[in-house]
Every structure is written in C-alpha cells, then in structure tokens.
Amino acid sequence: MIKWQWSLFDELSLHDLYEVLKVRQAVFVVEQGCAYQDVDELDQVAWHLIGWHEDAGFKKIVAYLRVVYPEEKFSEPSIGRVLVTPELRKSGLGKKLIAEAIVRISDEYPDSAIRISAQKYLEVFYSDFGFTTVSSIYKEDGIPHIEMLRS
C-alpha cells in the first residue's frame, strides 16, 4: 500500500528531503545516464508529492513528483521530476501519481491549466490525462522532450 505525502519544501524533514534527492539521483542521473543539475532552485517553490511504501517499519520512496508554482517556471503550475522506482513500473502507480497531482493542482489552482515538460516517449501516457502536445520535440539534457498542456 502506498501512503501519499504532500509537502511544501519547508515542510520536508531532512530525512524526507534526503530520500527525495537520493531517489531522483538514482533515476534521473544514474539510471538514465544523464549528468545534469538536479538541484535547480525550483524545489523551494514547489509542492512535493511523495509516494511511500511501508513494510515492517521501513519506508521507502517508490513514486515522486513536484508541482512548481505558477510563474516560477511557466505561467501555469507545472509537474516535473516525475518518477516511479524500477520495481513498481508498469504497476499502475504512475497513473495514480499523476491523478493525485491533478486533483491537488485543481484544488490549489482552480481553473488553471497544467503544463508538463515530458519525455517524448511518455506522450501517450500523459495524453490519457488530457494533456495535449504544445511544442515540437526538443532536447533537454540530451533526452527528447515535448511540452504538454492540460486545460
């Protein structure tokens, strides 16, 4: 069972922040073989959604994303740093993660569109949530991306 935690940056404990940064490094830097500056000054202006799996008193991050406030990166609130750990991919957890984010963004920013800079191969995945492609393909840290918008 997954326990969802929504936190502002200042509400994250040091342990939680460490675990977030550790899992982001594992997925985006090591697994994807992409050397880039993960800590980018946007964490402080974002909501953080953490999916924790707890077993026998031990908890581990298995899903994560952040929602950057409007006007900080884009004019709309934006979803980024979306991940599900390798052992739970293809389990439907990614869909639950995005659905949870959309509900929270709709509560926090009613009537606002949502923007995402998505890896190109996930275009169909995000389109199932009502996102439409609004840019041509571009490279971000060497990986093909597209911008998508959910009205």
Side-chain angles (χ1 to χ4, degrees):
M1 183 168 151
I2 305 303
K3 180 179 175 186
W4 297 108
Q5 173 187 333
W6 274 104
S7 298
L8 296 170
F9 182 79
D10 290 338
E11 296 171 340
L12 292 169
S13 71
L14 288 177
H15 171 79
D16 293 349
L17 179 59
Y18 179 84
E19 292 300 316
V20 163
L21 295 175
K22 183 171 86 173
V23 74
R24 285 181 6 191
Q25 295 279 324
V27 171
F28 298 125
V29 176
V30 176
E31 181 185 334
Q32 293 183 355
C34 185
Y36 80 108
Q37 186 66 46
D38 178 48
V39 178
D40 61 359
E41 306 294 330
L42 292 174
D43 287 319
Q44 295 94 321
V45 290
W47 287 93
H48 299 267
L49 174 57
I50 305 169
W52 294 98
H53 178 259
E54 296 187 39
D55 185 29
F58 177 76
K59 70 180 192 174
K60 173 183 173 184
I61 295 176
V62 293
Y64 171 85
L65 61 73
R66 70 180 181 189
V67 176
V68 177
Y69 307 156
E71 306 300 336
E72 294 294 339
K73 183 173 181 178
F74 300 108
S75 60
E76 310 85 3
S78 60
I79 297 172
R81 299 294 197 267
V82 179
L83 70 84
V84 172
T85 55
E87 66 273 11
L88 287 175
R89 290 186 193 141
K90 308 275 187 211
S91 69
L93 184 56
K95 291 178 182 179
K96 291 177 185 172
L97 178 68
I98 295 299
E100 179 75 19
I102 290 170
V103 167
R104 181 57 170 251
I105 294 167
S106 297
D107 288 346
E108 290 292 323
Y109 308 103
D111 305 319
S112 178
I114 304 168
R115 189 171 296 265
I116 188 166
S117 176
Q119 291 185 9
K120 171 68 174 141
Y121 85 94
L122 291 168
E123 185 174 18
V124 171
F125 173 81
Y126 289 115
S127 69
D128 288 347
F129 290 94
F131 286 89
T132 58
T133 303
V134 295
S135 77
S136 55
I137 299 171
Y138 59 93
K139 293 270 183 147
E140 185 173 311
D141 302 313
I143 299 171
H145 279 70
I146 51 172
E147 280 189 24
M148 301 184 80
L149 195 64
R150 183 179 193 272
S151 299

